[in-house]
C-alpha cells in the first residue's frame, strides 16, 4: 500500500490562541467601565458568551455588573440613536 497518498490528512495549520478578555486580576464590578463596555454591543445589548469568549461564571458576573451599572445610570439601557443621513 502506498502511504504517500493520504486523502484524509489534517493540514498542519499553526494557530495562535486568543487571549481571554478578562484576566485573572481584573475585578468584574459595575464601577469598572472599561471592562464592562467590552461586553456590550453598539445598541446597548449584552453580548452572548460565545461572542465574548468568557466562562459561564464570568458571563454571569458581567451581566450582573452591567445591570447594576444601568440602574445607576452609568450605562444606557438602550442606544437607539439612529443617525439620519440626507
Amino acid at each position: 500500500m502506498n502511504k504517500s497518498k493520504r486523502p484524509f490528512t489534517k493540514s498542519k495549520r499553526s494557530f495562535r490562541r486568543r487571549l481571554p478578555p478578562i484576566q485573572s486580576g481584573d475585578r468584574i464590578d459595575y464601577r469598572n467601565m472599561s471592562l464592562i463596555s467590552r461586553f456590550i454591543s453598539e445598541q446597548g445589548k449584552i453580548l452572548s458568551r460565545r461572542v465574548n469568549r468568557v466562562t459561564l461564571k464570568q458571563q454571569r458576573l458581567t451581566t450582573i455588573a452591567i445591570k447594576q451599572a444601568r440602574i445607576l445610570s452609568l450605562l444606557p439601557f438602550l442606544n437607539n440613536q439612529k443617525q439620519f443621513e440626507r
Side-chain angles (χ1 to χ4, degrees):
M1 200 161 193
N2 192 358
K3 288 188 177 182
S4 63
K5 292 183 180 180
R6 290 185 180 174
F8 301 112
T9 57
K10 288 185 179 179
S11 63
K12 293 189 176 183
R13 285 185 286 153
S14 65
F15 66 95
R16 199 178 78 182
R17 206 168 158 189
R18 286 185 56 173
L19 293 171
I22 301 176
Q23 270 68 35
S24 59
D26 287 339
R27 292 271 307 143
I28 303 172
D29 199 9
Y30 67 94
R31 290 169 284 181
N32 194 351
M33 295 304 295
S34 60
L35 180 71
I36 287 177
S37 57
R38 290 187 226 162
F39 303 108
I40 298 175
S41 69
E42 291 192 12
Q43 291 85 25
K45 294 181 180 179
I46 301 172
L47 293 173
S48 69
R49 221 180 113 209
R50 282 182 296 136
V51 176
N52 288 338
R53 302 219 177 206
V54 293
T55 62
L56 181 61
K57 190 174 182 180
Q58 289 172 336
Q59 180 70 18
R60 281 196 200 115
L61 289 171
T62 51
T63 304
I64 291 168
I66 289 168
K67 289 177 181 179
Q68 285 175 341
R70 283 175 176 169
I71 290 169
L72 294 170
S73 68
L74 299 172
L75 284 175
F77 279 92
L78 288 174
N79 194 6
N80 283 358
Q81 296 173 350
K82 293 176 183 168
Q83 290 148 0
F84 296 105
E85 295 179 11
R86 291 182 181 175

